[in-house]
Amino acid sequence: MSHFSYRNGVLHAESLALSEIAQRFGTPTYVYSKAALLENFAAYADACKKHGRATAENALVCYSVKSNSNLAVLNLLAKQGSGFDIVSGGELLRVLAAGGDPRKVIFSGVGKSREEMQLALSHDILCFNVESAAELKRLNDVAGELGKRAPISLRVNPNVDAKTHPYISTGLKENKFGVAFDEALAIYRSAAILPHIAVVGIDCHIGSQLLDDAPLLEALDKLIELIDTLEDEGIAIHHLDIGGGIGINYNDDQPVAVGDYLGRLFARIDAWRAARHAGKAIAVLFEPGRSIVGNAGVLLTEVQYLKHSPDKNFAIVDAAMNDLMRPAMYEAWHGVQTVKQDGADVRTYDVVGPVCESGDWLARARELALAEGDLLAILSAGAYGMTMSSNYNTRGRSAEVMVDGDQAHLVREREQAAQLFALEKLLP
Ligand code: LLP
């Protein structure tokens, strides 16, 4: 069920009119629905329970912080028992500030620094997802200096085609992520004898915005094959991390339902464990981002000017590529809805921002009835919206508001220009 819908001709977030939010907090503003977030998280948690995995030791959802890292979002999910997938020391500090449990944190990323390793080790995180032999060596050294053993998974690149946008596909052998499937065994062997490394799991993440789960199940089969080989060699694997990647509906997309995907995944895992491991369970980890937060947010913006040229109609709005990068970066399609439904003069518009780049567009060739001052909602903007935003053109980042029923909570203030150059200094 969508938590953004028209009531009496006005688009609402849950029970609150978006026009009221614009009036109170201004625009551009990211607006999130708490109910949508909880519902999306529950799709994972409920499927885990349904398939006999009721505790964090059996199945753990590690929400991918990079998709939306607002403290209120992280705190809400932490309270549901969520773990977190991080890719920087900064994200770890956010998770801690939001009340997240470091023992439910997994640390991905190809370029972890020594300082980031130290920070994560000092908080006893659940696992490092190691992406190269060089990183493994460094992690062993850093853990040794701290007198610790670092728990690790190798991020294995299963070389399956996720059939998604090339910029967000990560599981092919030409991608920079993970270690090649054929090299994984040798690296595991070396990890198993390093004094400050504890092999605990195996990991992959093949890409993002996947509409079909077939590539994920194919990746699972490759991981299963490797786990059996490792266990034959006496290297025990306690958890299997299948990554994130389930897509959402942007433009008549029909992503697989989370419950169906998890059902198929657990069925395969259970059949394998029964056949090869006398039914002994293995913990399963997930790293979803977009499927939890993507459709739980919109970007609310106001039409500043309408510009009609002989070839094109432009709606110039107060949000721009610095607020929502996805169209400029991936030619991503986001739905656009007017907050008030009553416009009569329908024309074909490009919705563009004030930034001085031709690439600064949010939507192209949309049939809209617009007047100056109208409010628009850019849909499905909850994931990789605010987190990818920038201050280009010295534009302060948007405010963020979370709606709960008919209440709106400001969860991030709008940035003011003076804050943007506060760290800068003149020459002496
Ligand atoms: N785990 C790892 C290791 C990842 O790299 C990612 C996303 C995720 C989990 C979460 O994937 P999700 O469930 O959200 O698909 N900026 C792009 C998406 C980049 C995804 C990067 N990795 C976009 O706006 O579409």
Side-chain angles (χ1 to χ4, degrees), residues 64 66 85 108 155 168 205 208-209 244-245 287-290 326 330 384 388:
S64 188
K66 67 170 85 70
D85 166 48
S108 307
R155 176 166 174 185
I168 51 177
H205 170 80
S208 200
Q209 183 56 13
E287 304 172 2
R290 192 187 319 259
R326 303 191 71 257
Y330 317 112
Y384 307 107
M388 289 174 70

Side-chain angles (χ1 to χ4, degrees), residues 121-154:
L121 284 165
S122 72
H123 287 284
D124 292 322
I125 66 163
L126 177 63
C127 191
F128 289 83
N129 288 342
V130 169
E131 305 221 14
S132 65
E135 182 193 334
L136 184 67
K137 182 179 174 307
R138 180 188 281 186
L139 184 59
N140 181 61
D141 293 346
V142 174
E145 287 158 18
L146 296 178
K148 299 218 173 212
R149 279 185 90 186
I152 69 121
S153 282
L154 267 196

Side-chain angles (χ1 to χ4, degrees), residues 42-60:
Y44 282 90
D46 293 351
C48 291
K49 280 197 200 99
K50 183 171 163 199
H51 297 278
R53 285 145 172 108
T55 68
E57 285 71 46
N58 295 322
L60 183 63

Side-chain angles (χ1 to χ4, degrees), residues 171-193:
L172 283 170
K173 49 178 192 254
E174 63 259 35
N175 295 127
K176 72 174 176 180
F177 299 100
V179 303
F181 187 80
D182 297 336
E183 289 166 16
L185 181 57
I187 301 177
Y188 265 113
R189 282 184 188 135
S190 67
I193 53 171

Side-chain angles (χ1 to χ4, degrees), residues 67-82:
S67 60
N68 186 322
S69 58
N70 184 285
L71 293 191
V73 172
L74 302 182
N75 175 258
L76 195 64
L77 295 174
K79 284 195 206 141
Q80 306 305 305
S82 184

Side-chain angles (χ1 to χ4, degrees), residues 243-299:
I246 294 296
I248 61 169
N249 175 23
Y250 285 103
N251 183 14
D252 286 335
D253 300 308
Q254 289 179 331
V256 57
V258 166
D260 294 344
Y261 158 50
L262 265 60
R264 285 189 276 270
L265 183 99
F266 287 135
R268 270 194 205 203
I269 291 174
D270 290 344
W272 158 56
R273 299 306 284 184
R276 283 274 323 227
H277 300 266
K280 187 170 159 273
I282 185 167
V284 183
L285 269 53
F286 301 94
E287 304 172 2
R290 192 187 319 259
S291 52
I292 293 198
V293 80
N295 275 329
V298 302
L299 175 58

